[in-house]
Amino acid sequence: MKIGIIGAGRLGVTMGKYLRDAGLTVVGFYNKTKEHAIEAAKFTDTNYFSDLEKLVQASDTLFVATPDGVIAEIWDCIVSYDLTGKIVCHFSGSLSSHVFSGIEETGASGCSIHPMYAFSDKFHSYEQFHTACLVAEGEGSARQMMEQLFRDLGHTVLTIRAEDKVKYHAAAAMISNDMIALLQTVLQLLEQCGFDGQDSLRLLTPIIHNNVDNMLQAGPKQALTGPIERGDVQTVQKHLQALQGTQADEVYRVLGRVLVDMVKEKYPDRDHTAMEKLF
């Protein structure tokens, strides 16, 4: 396998370095900004290509590691090249392999594979990439080869239907970013209580770590604690009164409805009427 990477950002550089260190053949990088391709090639000990067609010619597998909005543009550029027998794979979480419109007419096969992983740093994200799980979608042979490639490197690889990609990506965005938004909301509440940011984080760190560990080990329902789980209507009512009219009130209510549904499943014999009325 000779892998050519289009895009020299955090994703492309991480994949190039990780796969190169694993002993795979990465022929090099093409990037619209030549300096970025040169930088990526130097870091990964590969080559840079100033001509996209030459990269395509040198590769039997093309990784399109660009932002989502550029993938279709890249495909429009390379579709006129000789792609016979090549695999074309992108890494978008929200787009499917259908973005490679008419690929069957080129003699190539296409797929997408999305790492559930935060690419936070161009030059260090590869160090922990071995922990990532990936989700693959696309035409049979291309998808199967990509699945096998990453499974051989020790990864868990799941499959998904093309029509589910956007919903899947929404889930990934929520778990990645909404927890941060929730933390910010809580920090603002604690600031109103007179705590500075450093003290608030020191206060919250143990409970955050414990909750995440419990959720991952026992599952969300079993990890659930607090007044909604206990059925403590009076305390929840006080919370809502204290937060009334604020953005935190909206957050509390939206998540509270989810928690009530979880508690109903956890305790099906309990009367949940009073708690449901609060939300």
Side-chain angles (χ1 to χ4, degrees):
M1 182 178 288
K2 298 178 181 179
I3 301 170
I5 302 177
I6 302 169
R10 287 176 290 183
L11 170 60
V13 172
T14 296
M15 296 305 301
K17 177 67 171 172
Y18 177 72
L19 296 175
R20 182 78 167 79
D21 286 358
L24 279 79
T25 300
V26 178
V27 299
F29 290 83
Y30 170 84
N31 196 81
K32 186 175 181 180
T33 303
K34 180 181 176 181
E35 291 74 18
H36 293 170
I38 294 172
E39 179 184 57
K42 182 177 180 180
F43 179 67
T44 58
D45 193 23
T46 60
N47 301 304
Y48 80 91
F49 291 77
S50 57
D51 187 305
L52 178 57
E53 186 171 10
K54 289 183 178 179
L55 174 71
V56 173
Q57 291 172 347
S59 310
D60 57 31
T61 302
L62 295 167
F63 282 174
V64 184
T66 64
D68 288 11
V70 183
I71 294 174
E73 297 177 19
I74 293 295
W75 176 244
D76 288 342
C77 290
I78 69 175
V79 70
S80 60
Y81 303 154
D82 182 7
L83 300 177
T84 305
K86 298 183 188 292
I87 290 174
V88 186
C89 175
H90 71 71
F91 294 88
S92 168
S94 61
L95 298 177
S96 75
S97 57
H98 293 170
V99 71
F100 301 134
S101 177
I103 193 170
E104 61 279 352
E105 299 171 9
T106 70
S109 55
C111 66
S112 68
I113 189 160
H114 180 256
M116 189 69 83
Y117 186 77
F119 294 90
S120 56
D121 183 277
K122 183 185 289 189
F123 302 113
H124 294 284
S125 290
Y126 76 94
E127 296 169 350
Q128 295 300 317
F129 188 75
H130 63 278
T131 65
C133 295
L134 300 98
V135 174
E137 168 276 328
E139 188 271 324
S141 60
R143 191 197 72 236
Q144 290 167 11
M145 289 190 68
M146 287 300 100
E147 287 177 356
Q148 193 60 51
L149 184 157
F150 286 101
R151 283 177 179 147
D152 286 347
L153 293 173
H155 295 269
T156 296
V157 184
L158 307 176
T159 58
I160 192 170
R161 299 174 301 178
E163 58 267 30
D164 291 329
K165 284 294 295 283
V166 175
K167 187 181 295 184
Y168 156 81
H169 191 250
M174 289 173 70
I175 197 65
S176 178
N177 298 307
D178 287 3
M179 288 197 299
I180 296 173
L182 178 60
L183 176 60
Q184 178 64 15
T185 301
V186 170
L187 290 174
Q188 291 170 348
L189 283 176
L190 291 177
E191 183 181 4
Q192 295 169 21
C193 297
F195 300 110
D196 64 28
Q198 187 175 6
D199 284 341
S200 294
L201 286 174
R202 188 179 296 114
L203 183 67
L204 295 171
T205 294
I207 194 170
I208 291 172
H209 281 306
N210 288 338
N211 273 337
V212 171
D213 288 344
N214 288 338
M215 282 190 293
L216 295 178
Q217 292 174 14
K221 280 191 291 187
Q222 293 306 313
L224 188 59
T225 62
I228 295 179
E229 194 269 349
R230 296 192 302 269
D232 186 347
V233 174
Q234 289 184 340
T235 296
V236 173
Q237 191 170 34
K238 290 178 181 178
H239 290 173
L240 291 170
Q241 289 171 348
L243 300 176
Q244 189 173 8
T246 67
Q247 189 176 56
D249 178 38
E250 298 176 30
V251 174
Y252 191 100
R253 288 180 181 278
V254 169
L255 296 181
R257 288 193 288 270
V258 176
L259 293 174
V260 171
D261 288 340
M262 292 173 63
V263 172
K264 288 169 66 177
E265 293 181 10
K266 187 175 181 180
Y267 302 109
D269 297 329
R270 181 191 292 175
D271 183 3
H272 305 278
T273 305
M275 189 67 75
E276 287 180 302
K277 286 182 177 179
L278 290 179
F279 294 97

